[in-house]
Amino acid sequence: MNISIFGLGYVGTVVAGCFAKAGHRVIGVDTERAKVDLINSGRSPIIEAEIEELLAAGVATGTVRATTDARDAVEATELSLLCVGTPSQPSGELDLTYIRRVCEDIGAVLRGKAARHVVVVRSTVLPGTIRDVVIPALERSSEKNFDVEFGVVMNPEFLRESTAVADFYAPPKTVIGSRNRADGELVARLYEGISAPLIHTALEVAETVKYCDNIFHALKITFGNEVGALCKSIGVDSHEVMRIFCQDTKLNLSPAYLKPGFAYGGSCLPKDLRALTWLARSRDIEIPMLSHITPSNDAQIRSALRLITSDGKRKIAVLGFAFKGGTDDLRESPIVTVVEALLGKGCELRLFDPYVNTARLVGANRRYIEGHIPHIAKLMVASAEEAVAGVDTVLIGNINTAYAPALATLTAEQRVIDLTSSGKASATAARYERLVG
Ligand SMILES: NC(=O)c1ccc[n+]([C@@H]2O[C@H](COP(=O)([O-])OP(=O)(O)OC[C@H]3O[C@@H](n4cnc5c(N)ncnc54)[C@H](O)[C@@H]3O)[C@@H](O)[C@H]2O)c1
């Protein structure tokens, strides 16, 4: 394919050299003449293993050249990859000056170009930037319509500096976000021969995934560092701890616990976090990230309360109020906290949880229910149908297919709030809302 690459910094230079080696014809574009001259002489404007050899070979065989002229590059290619910088402003907001300018440059050429062109954003941009900034800028300058006359695709870059070329050939994944699948398929052709999961998705999802990746990496580093600081203060080998921690690919390094939903609770996580943060305080060790997990969890509970009370309706059914499905354990259940707050606001509640009901009958959790939360026990009813009859709002507190028949009896005037955010659990005529997106 014929591709133009705008921005010959770390990403653009690596991508130019690697795509040329894969057999594509590449034209690099940069506003800095010195970078363009370096590439045209087969040298690299960045220090990165293997890249100079790739560029030298590409220039020698005529598969790579560079220019400062956007017109020359856009007219000669079918795809333009945007690899310009998106630095921070002092507030943290992205500086999109380079993105806007490059869109104006490309759009001005597209105005007179008959063939369909696809612009591929490889720079890291906040969700919504393509919709609100890139597409409007291209439409204004090209006087053409997005999707009909030109395409835009989000294809985030996952390479790491210092191992960038190796990462290009073995990326963790290739993510292609598009509105128009044909444009996404065109971009996918660039990656033929690279063995990595190829994922087509929506533009905004692709923009967001890149941030989740980088922030998760930052979070992992910080987690390791805070564990290390704590371990040092108590004379424990943190490397040995983390080596064992990482061997658990079932619960630790795995998709477990990574589904957006409701707050954690139960008899272990809240208690153990309190103990560990106390230990750090007692040793005068700062662990700001670990110390903010509980406040973040509390914020999730407050956000559920705001959503539930947002329409001022007061008759509420709760389906599932143990801290998770499949257990009768009510200790530190965040749903019980929600129920108590709603009672405090004068709401009328009916609660049903098949596991808690059974526990109450057989007495497994009976002492706890009757000793600690008798006010909750009084609100329990015998079936999900009884709980939801005539209420304004139904809260789904944990996942259970047993709620389906009751949800099927709801009407369009009733509202379901799914705290688990697991998706539309079953057919219901009621308005359905998830706590998180
Ligand atoms: N550096 C990385 O490891 C890495 C990895 C993944 C993603 N990213 C993202 O990729 C983007 C680029 O990062 P980078 O580190 O390569 O940036 P960089 O600052 O090294 O390079 C950007 C280049 O764009 C050029 N440029 C600016 N305006 C231009 C225009 N109108 N036309 C042509 N060229 C223009 C600049 O002269 C510069 O050479 C950023 O959004 C970054 O967040 C970076």
Side-chain angles (χ1 to χ4, degrees):
M1 292 165 87
N2 294 300
I3 57 180
S4 42
I5 295 178
F6 283 76
L8 297 170
Y10 280 90
V11 171
T13 301
V14 170
V15 165
C18 293
F19 277 138
K21 191 181 177 207
H24 303 289
R25 273 184 303 279
V26 175
I27 305 178
V29 187
D30 205 289
T31 44
E32 279 189 41
R33 160 67 55 195
K35 291 189 178 181
V36 167
D37 290 344
L38 271 173
I39 291 203
N40 283 333
S41 62
R43 305 205 16 235
S44 171
I46 59 156
I47 306 287
E48 188 64 52
E50 297 176 67
I51 191 63
E52 188 125 319
E53 293 84 334
L54 289 183
L55 287 172
V59 170
T61 55
T63 51
V64 179
R65 68 180 173 90
T67 176
T68 54
D69 181 7
R71 177 165 298 279
D72 167 23
V74 174
E75 279 175 351
T77 58
E78 59 220 82
L79 288 175
S80 289
L81 275 51
L82 268 52
C83 302
V84 295
T86 50
S88 281
Q89 296 186 38
S91 65
E93 187 184 347
L94 284 188
D95 178 353
L96 295 175
T97 311
Y98 305 114
I99 288 279
R100 283 198 184 89
R101 194 163 305 150
V102 90
C103 288
E104 282 157 17
D105 292 347
I106 293 173
V109 186
L110 293 186
R111 203 181 307 163
K113 187 180 171 186
R116 187 183 163 84
H117 199 82
V118 176
V119 173
V120 184
V121 179
R122 307 228 61 200
S123 301
T124 302
V125 291
L126 279 172
T129 304
I130 293 188
R131 183 191 59 223
D132 300 336
V133 177
V134 171
I135 293 172
L138 284 166
E139 283 191 324
R140 257 194 319 274
S141 52
S142 67
E143 296 174 0
K144 290 189 167 180
N145 293 316
F146 163 64
D147 214 15
V148 184
E149 293 163 291
F150 67 89
V152 180
V153 169
M154 178 68 196
N155 174 213
E157 177 54 66
F158 301 112
L159 58 77
R160 297 164 295 175
E161 285 177 30
S162 82
T163 53
V165 173
D167 286 348
F168 181 91
Y169 291 113
K173 57 190 176 288
T174 301
V175 178
I176 297 177
S178 63
R179 291 254 180 90
N180 178 332
R181 183 63 183 245
D183 290 337
E185 300 287 357
L186 184 71
V187 174
R189 280 178 46 204
L190 286 174
Y191 297 98
E192 276 168 12
I194 288 187
S195 70
L198 182 75
I199 302 153
H200 285 276
T201 185
L203 277 175
E204 288 81 1
V205 172
E207 289 173 315
T208 311
V209 161
K210 174 66 190 170
Y211 278 93
C212 282
D213 285 13
N214 274 356
I215 286 157
F216 195 52
H217 301 162
L219 184 124
K220 286 170 76 175
I221 292 168
T222 308
F223 182 82
N225 288 344
E226 292 196 1
V227 167
L230 194 62
C231 283
K232 185 176 179 191
S233 77
I234 52 176
V236 170
D237 180 352
S238 63
H239 287 261
E240 175 73 349
V241 170
M242 291 310 288
R243 196 181 59 74
I244 298 167
F245 173 90
C246 291
Q247 282 178 44
D248 178 347
T249 53
K250 189 172 174 190
L251 298 182
N252 291 349
L253 305 189
S254 79
Y257 305 116
L258 284 173
K259 284 200 187 77
F262 194 42
Y264 64 78
S267 61
C268 295
L269 306 191
K271 171 177 77 75
D272 297 349
L273 253 164
R274 280 193 295 272
L276 204 81
T277 47
W278 169 83
L279 181 64
R281 273 199 310 280
S282 72
R283 299 286 188 281
D284 239 351
I285 299 300
E286 278 194 75
I287 47 166
M289 193 180 91
L290 298 180
S291 307
H292 281 84
I293 295 175
T294 302
S296 173
N297 202 49
D298 293 344
Q300 189 75 342
I301 296 174
R302 287 195 299 277
S303 131
L305 273 169
R306 273 197 302 276
L307 179 64
I308 297 160
T309 53
S310 58
D311 64 359
K313 302 269 175 74
R314 287 170 187 281
K315 283 190 187 159
I316 299 170
V318 181
L319 301 182
F321 57 99
F323 83 98
K324 64 178 176 184
T327 175
D328 62 347
D329 198 347
L330 291 169
R331 284 175 295 172
E332 299 208 41
S333 164
I335 305 154
V336 170
T337 309
V338 167
V339 166
E340 288 177 326
L342 291 172
L343 285 175
K345 288 178 185 294
C347 294
E348 227 179 89
L349 285 118
R350 285 205 292 268
L351 316 183
F352 176 72
D353 188 313
Y355 292 94
V356 180
N357 270 30
T358 312
R360 197 184 179 198
L361 291 175
V362 300
N365 212 7
R366 185 177 186 153
R367 255 207 320 274
Y368 181 79
I369 295 171
E370 289 174 0
H372 290 80
I373 47 171
H375 53 304
I376 301 281
K378 280 191 210 126
L379 305 173
M380 287 166 62
V381 296
S383 71
E385 284 83 349
E386 191 184 337
V388 305
V391 297
D392 304 309
T393 308
V394 177
L395 285 188
I396 300 180
N398 50 47
I399 300 166
N400 195 322
T401 49
Y403 307 143
L407 294 173
T409 66
L410 300 181
T411 64
E413 285 73 51
Q414 291 173 298
R415 180 185 186 212
V416 171
I417 296 178
D418 184 356
L419 296 180
T420 73
S421 303
S422 55
K424 197 160 178 166
S426 61
T428 177
R431 284 170 293 138
Y432 176 91
E433 276 177 73
R434 306 198 311 189
L435 174 61
V436 295

